[in-house]
Amino acid sequence: MAKINVSVIRQGIRGRLKVREETRKFYNGIFIDLGELVLFTGRVIKQMFQAPFEFREFAKHGFLLGNKSLPLVAVTGFIMGLVLSMQMHPVLADFGAQTLLPGVVAISMVRELGPVITGLICAGKISSGIGAEIAAMTVTEQIDAMEVSGTRPLSFVVASRITAATLVVPILVIFADAFSLLGSFLAVNIFEETSLTLFFNRSFSMMGFVDFLPSILKTIFFGFFIGLIGTYKGYTAGRGTESVGLAANSAVVSASLTIFLIDLVFVLITSIL
């Protein structure tokens, strides 16, 4: 019995030590990854302000990213406005406040739902696409060939995509907000007849400059980090073919988490101010 107990105790100790070692490696990996991301960000920002600027690549990727993401963003925004209005109308009608519905939906979409939902869509669409594309270039040694030939891959490949994402995401958010109001207008007309002019007057009468400014600022940060994380995951991908899928998956998860963290910071700052 004594030998059995000692064996069980030893196995338990080894199991705990193994769990602690895996936990330590996990947290060390996170901090190492964050440190490398900070260094990568510094190098990319430095390349952004060094001539020559890749305007052609910036314009090309801006058009491609926006063109590919716009249909999904528009449909999602339209459905969000439609569903939100249909869910809130009976509640407001119980208090005789259904005339406030356009303004409530507009504030909800502009302040929070529009930027966050669009950011998550772009994280899944843009960040994963950038990560997979650059990871494929890394695997096929195209990045190495650029460095050997004298082309700056951080400027030509990375900085142009980050700048394009930073510009495109706020524009996509504006489209999402516009289509959400259109969906809300159709939902309101299901319950009562309302003119488009009256609907938009009620929508914007409850909003002020303080509602637009934080939304625009955080969408700029959304776009920057969506592009940054996608390019970082692709640029630092391994040499195997499976690293392409890993880079795309990791980019989506990291970008989505970053969007929630940025949104939390902006909500805390606006609440304090």
Side-chain angles (χ1 to χ4, degrees):
M1 290 295 296
K3 293 182 178 179
I4 295 177
N5 291 334
V6 170
S7 177
V8 171
I9 292 173
R10 287 178 177 175
Q11 291 179 359
I13 293 174
R14 290 174 182 174
R16 291 180 180 179
L17 292 176
K18 185 177 180 180
V19 171
R20 289 180 180 178
E21 181 66 19
E22 291 178 353
T23 304
R24 184 182 65 83
K25 289 181 179 180
F26 174 76
Y27 285 110
N28 286 343
I30 291 177
F31 286 112
I32 291 173
D33 201 32
L34 286 175
E36 292 179 350
L37 178 60
V38 171
L39 295 176
F40 180 80
T41 305
R43 293 165 57 194
V44 171
I45 292 176
K46 183 179 179 181
Q47 291 292 327
M48 286 181 176
F49 296 97
Q50 284 186 354
F53 303 104
E54 304 294 341
F55 289 109
R56 182 173 296 180
E57 284 294 305
F58 161 72
K60 183 184 80 172
H61 291 295
F63 173 77
L64 292 176
L65 295 178
N67 190 40
K68 291 180 179 179
S69 304
L70 181 58
L72 182 59
V73 168
V75 172
T76 304
F78 180 83
I79 294 175
M80 286 294 297
L82 184 67
V83 172
L84 189 62
S85 298
M86 295 183 68
Q87 292 287 339
M88 294 181 64
H89 186 274
V91 179
L92 294 176
D94 291 339
F95 297 95
Q98 58 267 34
T99 57
L100 299 177
L101 180 60
V104 173
V105 173
I107 291 177
S108 301
M109 293 301 300
V110 170
R111 279 189 177 182
E112 191 65 24
L113 293 179
V116 173
I117 297 299
T118 306
L120 293 176
I121 292 174
C122 293
K125 186 77 174 176
I126 295 177
S127 190
S128 63
I130 291 176
E133 183 181 6
I134 297 181
M137 296 175 68
T138 303
V139 170
T140 55
E141 298 182 350
Q142 297 181 44
I143 301 295
D144 296 335
M146 288 182 184
E147 293 178 349
V148 171
S149 62
T151 304
R152 300 180 303 168
L154 283 179
S155 177
F156 186 80
V157 177
V158 176
S160 59
R161 286 171 170 81
I162 295 176
T163 308
T166 305
L167 177 65
V168 165
V169 172
I171 297 175
L172 291 175
V173 171
I174 294 174
F175 276 101
D177 293 340
F179 277 94
S180 67
L181 291 179
L182 179 60
S184 178
F185 170 72
L186 294 179
V188 169
N189 276 271
I190 295 175
F191 300 100
E192 58 185 24
E193 186 176 353
T194 305
S195 66
L196 187 62
T197 303
L198 178 60
F199 177 84
F200 279 101
N201 286 336
R202 290 176 176 175
S203 299
F204 292 105
S205 63
M206 297 180 62
M207 289 192 296
F209 183 74
V210 69
D211 297 315
F212 287 99
L213 184 59
S215 176
I216 294 173
L217 288 178
K218 68 182 177 183
T219 54
I220 294 174
F221 281 95
F222 286 172
F224 176 80
F225 280 98
I226 285 171
L228 176 66
I229 292 173
T231 53
Y232 169 74
K233 294 297 183 180
Y235 200 83
T236 58
R239 296 296 180 181
T241 54
E242 70 278 0
S243 61
V244 177
L246 292 175
N249 183 58
S250 180
V252 173
V253 175
S254 301
S256 300
L257 180 60
T258 304
I259 286 171
F260 285 117
L261 292 176
I262 294 173
D263 184 61
L264 175 61
V265 171
F266 268 87
V267 169
L268 293 175
I269 292 175
T270 52
S271 298
I272 294 173
L273 296 178

